Amino acid sequence: MELDIVYLYTALSLGLLGGFHCIGMCGPIAFSIGLDATNKFKFYTQNILYQLGRITTYSLLGGILGIVGKSFNIAGYQKYISIFAGILLILMVLLPGKTTEIGDNFRPINKFMIKIKLFLGRFLQRKDNTSRYLTGVLNGFLPCGAVYVALTSSIAAGGIIQGMLFMAVFGLGTFPFMFITTLTGKFIGAKVRFKILKIFPYFIILIGILFILRGLGLGIHLLSPSDKALKLEQRSHAKSCCH
C-alpha cells in the first residue's frame, strides 16, 4: 500500500515548519560538530552526512511506530488509529506539559537518553565523516517536540514502510533550515523564528483535525474519503503495479 499523498504533503509541511523548532533544539549541537571551513568539499559533505544521520533515525523510528499502524490496519481498525492520532496531536498542543512528563518520568527512557548524550559527546570530538553521520544519528534520538508530533502522525500512515517514508519526508523538510544553520553558524532571527513557532501549534491542531476527518470517512474527496473510495484507490494502485 502506498502512502497517501495527503500524508506526504503533511509530513513535508510539518518538517518545514518544524525545522524552525529543530533549530532551537538541535542548533547548539549543529554548531558543535566543528566542520572544517578550510576544505569546502569536506565542509559540505560532513554537513550533509550529519543531516542524513538525523533523517536515518527519524525514518527508523517511523518504521517502528508504523508497526503499530500496520497492526491496526490488518485488524481493520486503521480509521480508529487515525482518529486516535488526531486526538493525541490536539492534546499535545492543549496539554504540552503533560505530554513531555510521560517521557521524563519513565526511567528506562532517561537512562537511554543519558547513554545517547555520552556517545554524542564522544563523536563530537572526532572529525571524520563517519563520526559526523553518527552524530546526526544520535541527535535524532534526542527529545524534540516537532519530532514527537511527526512520530505521532506516522502511526496513522498505516504501515512500516509508510511510517518510515512519512518520517523521511519530515526529515527532508527540516533539512534546509538545519543545513543553513550548520553552514552559517547562526540562528535565524529571533523575531522570525518566534512568529513561525506561534503558527506551529495551530498547524498541529489542523493536522489533528485532518487525521480525525480521515478516520471518520465522511466521503469528502481527499479530505475524508469513505472506506469504499479508499478500497477502490488501493485496488487501482495494485492493478497499476501489476501491469
Side-chain angles (χ1 to χ4, degrees):
M1 178 180 151
E2 296 182 7
L3 184 60
D4 194 317
I5 191 67
V6 173
Y7 287 120
L8 287 176
Y9 284 132
T10 300
L12 183 61
S13 301
L14 188 57
L16 288 169
L17 283 175
F20 287 90
H21 187 281
C22 292
I23 289 171
M25 298 295 292
C26 306
I29 295 175
F31 297 154
S32 302
I33 63 177
L35 297 179
D36 184 8
T38 59
N39 187 326
K40 292 295 183 182
F41 178 77
K42 190 175 181 180
F43 184 74
Y44 289 110
T45 300
Q46 291 196 345
N47 191 353
I48 291 172
L49 287 171
Y50 166 71
Q51 308 303 338
L52 290 178
R54 291 188 307 107
I55 296 172
T56 299
T57 299
Y58 296 158
S59 301
L60 290 174
L61 292 175
I64 292 171
L65 287 179
I67 296 173
V68 178
K70 182 68 174 178
S71 301
F72 279 93
N73 198 21
I74 293 173
Y77 298 126
Q78 178 59 27
K79 62 181 181 180
Y80 298 113
I81 198 66
S82 182
I83 294 172
F84 171 76
I87 293 172
L88 189 57
L89 287 171
I90 293 172
L91 288 177
M92 289 175 75
V93 174
L94 300 179
L95 305 170
K98 300 296 181 183
T99 54
T100 55
E101 284 174 9
I102 295 173
D104 293 341
N105 295 327
F106 192 46
R107 187 170 294 179
I109 292 180
N110 285 333
K111 288 184 177 180
F112 178 70
M113 287 303 167
I114 290 172
K115 290 182 179 180
I116 290 294
K117 290 175 182 178
L118 287 173
F119 280 115
L120 191 58
R122 293 174 187 174
F123 285 117
L124 281 172
Q125 295 174 7
R126 302 173 186 175
K127 305 299 180 183
D128 57 286
N129 290 344
T130 303
S131 296
R132 293 289 74 82
Y133 174 74
L134 292 176
T135 297
V137 169
L138 293 171
N139 191 175
F141 285 105
L142 296 180
C144 174
V147 176
Y148 288 160
V149 170
L151 286 172
T152 302
S153 303
S154 70
I155 299 175
I160 300 172
I161 301 301
Q162 291 90 335
M164 291 183 70
L165 183 57
F166 185 96
M167 289 304 297
V169 174
F170 164 78
L172 289 173
T174 67
F175 187 98
F177 299 110
M178 286 298 298
F179 183 84
I180 293 171
T181 298
T182 308
L183 197 66
T184 62
K186 296 178 181 179
F187 285 109
I188 288 176
K191 289 184 178 180
V192 175
R193 185 167 169 267
F194 179 72
K195 289 180 179 179
I196 296 296
L197 290 178
K198 284 186 70 175
I199 297 172
F200 194 56
Y202 296 103
F203 183 69
I204 296 173
I205 291 176
L206 183 62
I207 294 175
I209 293 172
L210 173 64
F211 283 178
I212 292 171
L213 288 173
R214 305 248 340 146
L216 291 174
L218 300 176
I220 305 171
H221 182 59
L222 292 179
L223 185 62
S224 183
S226 63
D227 293 342
K228 184 178 180 180
L230 285 174
K231 288 178 181 178
L232 288 172
E233 186 178 344
Q234 289 171 18
R235 287 175 185 172
S236 65
H237 283 313
K239 288 180 180 179
S240 63
C241 291
C242 294
H243 292 290

